[in-house]
């Protein structure tokens, strides 16, 4: 960071999918808690914190559609200069996108905006690649299958490093199954659900669909991708992207109901764990320390999800959100922490 000239910019997204069969309860509460912590502890100016939420009744909200989230993130990155601190928090459903028939490869991660216009690991990779040298871009994703959400980012804590295999959770999961995603999009697009999600999204959203679904050419009239296999992935390269995910790629993240939360507010298990750790440790914590401590909190509370960290070796040891010693202060607002007695 370059002293007083540096900026701290944030985009916070909470998707509760109000009134749908996929409704969640705690995502907007997560955003409220994160916003309070950014301002009180980390020195973010309220005007530099963009908030996109759905259905909270406040009237002036910007809905977290795919296009709106992409626009907010692109604007944030475009404003960035060397030394700036960028932050994106997402609470909502995640999903896994299978390869198109004949492409080979594994399922890949995506987040699910309220209009189901997926934002994929490829989109986040492109955003990180546009971050100016010397700036940082931290992503916290409290959603299912969120490990690896920045394509090709180096794993520091995850399925291969410092973790055992994942296990299913009995609680409500922030996960939209691929079949449910296809059924919803098919009803809107009028195309058979047997089509790949790329076909539906490009037909419905055109240029606003994920770059992942345009990368091989085509792009309209239900033909999102060619049958040319994707190029082999390149090894991770150093960059300023930092991902703290709520769980491993093969796991789900819990949406905790109000009756399990102190103060009667629903929340994300991972978001609540992060807030609890920060409240208990006013001094700066490294990204690695924060994820490790959040893992310990979730394990103690009986959650079967393992937060992960993806970034360079240097950023793993860097303070979370570049917190300065002079910013050592307790978070002003109480987080919607879970009641241990009910877990």
């Amino acid at each position: 960071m370059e002293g007083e000239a540096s900026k701290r910019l944030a985009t916070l997204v909470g998707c509760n999918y109000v009134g749908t069969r996929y409704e969640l309860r705690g995502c907007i509460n997560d955003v409220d808690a994160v916003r309070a912590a950014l301002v009180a502890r980390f020195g973010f100016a309220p005007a530099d914190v963009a908030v996109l939420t759905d259905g909270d009744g406040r009237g002036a909200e910007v809905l977290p559609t795919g296009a709106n989230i992409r626009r907010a993130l692109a604007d944030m990155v475009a404003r960035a200069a060397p030394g700036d601190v960028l932050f994106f928090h997402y609470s909502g459903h995640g999903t896994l996108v299978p390869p198109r028939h004949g492409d080979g490869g594994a399922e890949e991660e995506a987040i699910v905006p309220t209009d189901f216009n997926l934002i994929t690991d490829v989109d986040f990779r492109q955003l990180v690649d546009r971050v100016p040298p010397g700036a940082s871009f931290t992503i916290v994703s409290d959603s299912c299958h969120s490990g690896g959400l920045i394509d090709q980012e180096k794993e520091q804590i995850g399925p291969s490093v410092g973790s055992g295999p994942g296990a299913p959770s009995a609680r409500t999961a922030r996960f939209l199954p691929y079949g449910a995603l296809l059924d919803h999009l098919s009803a809107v697009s009028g195309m058979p659900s047997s089509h790949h999600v790329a076909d539906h999204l490009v037909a419905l959203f055109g240029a606003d669909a994920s770059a992942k679904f345009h990368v091989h050419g085509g792009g309209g009239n239900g033909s999102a991708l060619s049958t040319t296999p994707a190029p082999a992935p390149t090894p991770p390269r150093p960059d300023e992207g930092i991902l703290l995910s709520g769980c491993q790629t093969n796991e789900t993240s819990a949406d905790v109901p109000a009756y399990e939360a102190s103060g009667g507010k629903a929340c994300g298990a991972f978001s609540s764990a992060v807030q609890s750790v920060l409240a208990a440790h006013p001094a700066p914590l490294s990204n690695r320390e924060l994820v490790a401590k959040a893992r310990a909190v979730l394990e103690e509370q009986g959650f079967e999800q393992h937060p992960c960290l993806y970034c360079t070796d240097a950023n793993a040891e860097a303070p979370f959100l570049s917190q300065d010693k002079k910013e050592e202060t307790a978070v002003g607002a109480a987080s919607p922490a879970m009641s241990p007695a009910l877990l």
Side-chain angles (χ1 to χ4, degrees), residues 78-206:
R79 290 180 59 191
D84 289 350
V85 177
L86 310 183
F87 179 64
F88 174 55
H89 176 96
Y90 173 76
S91 284
H93 282 305
T95 194
L96 290 172
V97 179
R100 195 174 177 85
H101 180 68
D103 277 3
E107 294 177 312
E108 296 187 340
E109 304 82 5
I111 63 172
V112 185
T114 53
D115 60 354
F116 289 32
N117 184 9
L118 303 182
I119 301 176
T120 70
D121 55 344
V122 170
D123 299 315
F124 287 111
R125 165 48 57 198
Q126 291 184 348
L127 282 166
V128 167
D129 286 346
R130 296 204 297 269
V131 173
S136 64
F137 186 7
T138 300
I139 297 173
V140 172
S141 187
D142 193 349
S143 58
C144 293
H145 307 293
S146 48
L149 196 55
I150 305 177
D151 188 40
Q152 302 177 38
E153 198 65 57
K154 182 176 180 180
E155 179 185 314
Q156 298 287 345
I157 301 175
S160 302
V161 183
S163 174
S169 173
R171 292 178 170 89
T172 299
R174 293 180 170 182
F175 172 53
L176 189 68
Y178 183 69
L181 175 67
L182 284 179
D183 288 345
H184 174 88
L185 292 174
S186 178
V188 179
S189 70
M191 298 167 57
S193 58
S194 57
H195 281 241
H196 191 272
V197 67
D199 297 333
H200 296 278
L201 292 177
V202 171
L204 288 169
F205 300 106

Side-chain angles (χ1 to χ4, degrees), residues 172-343:
T172 299
R174 293 180 170 182
F175 172 53
L176 189 68
Y178 183 69
L181 175 67
L182 284 179
D183 288 345
H184 174 88
L185 292 174
S186 178
V188 179
S189 70
M191 298 167 57
S193 58
S194 57
H195 281 241
H196 191 272
V197 67
D199 297 333
H200 296 278
L201 292 177
V202 171
L204 288 169
F205 300 106
D208 282 333
S210 171
K212 180 183 185 70
F213 306 134
H214 293 287
V215 70
H216 296 149
N221 301 317
S223 179
L225 302 176
S226 77
T227 57
T228 304
T234 56
R237 62 176 182 77
D239 59 48
E240 297 307 321
I242 304 165
L243 171 64
L244 290 73
S245 68
C247 62
Q248 298 175 175
T249 299
N250 62 333
E251 292 178 331
T252 59
S253 290
D255 193 62
V256 182
Y259 68 82
E260 288 191 19
S262 63
K265 286 189 175 183
C267 60
F270 177 55
S271 294
S272 180
V274 168
Q275 293 297 321
S276 297
V277 171
L278 291 174
H281 299 84
L285 289 169
S286 71
N287 290 301
R288 186 186 300 280
E289 289 172 326
L290 180 56
V291 171
K293 290 181 183 298
R295 276 190 167 215
V297 168
L298 290 171
E299 181 178 2
E300 182 179 351
Q301 294 172 335
F303 288 92
E304 296 173 325
Q305 64 187 81
H306 300 82
C308 301
L309 175 64
Y310 295 82
C311 61
T312 63
D313 295 344
N315 280 332
E317 310 308 330
F320 177 65
L321 293 182
S322 301
Q323 184 185 0
D324 211 300
K325 282 285 186 183
K326 65 184 179 184
E327 294 164 341
E328 250 181 65
T329 179
V331 177
S335 68
M338 292 161 288
S339 170
L342 295 175
L343 293 172

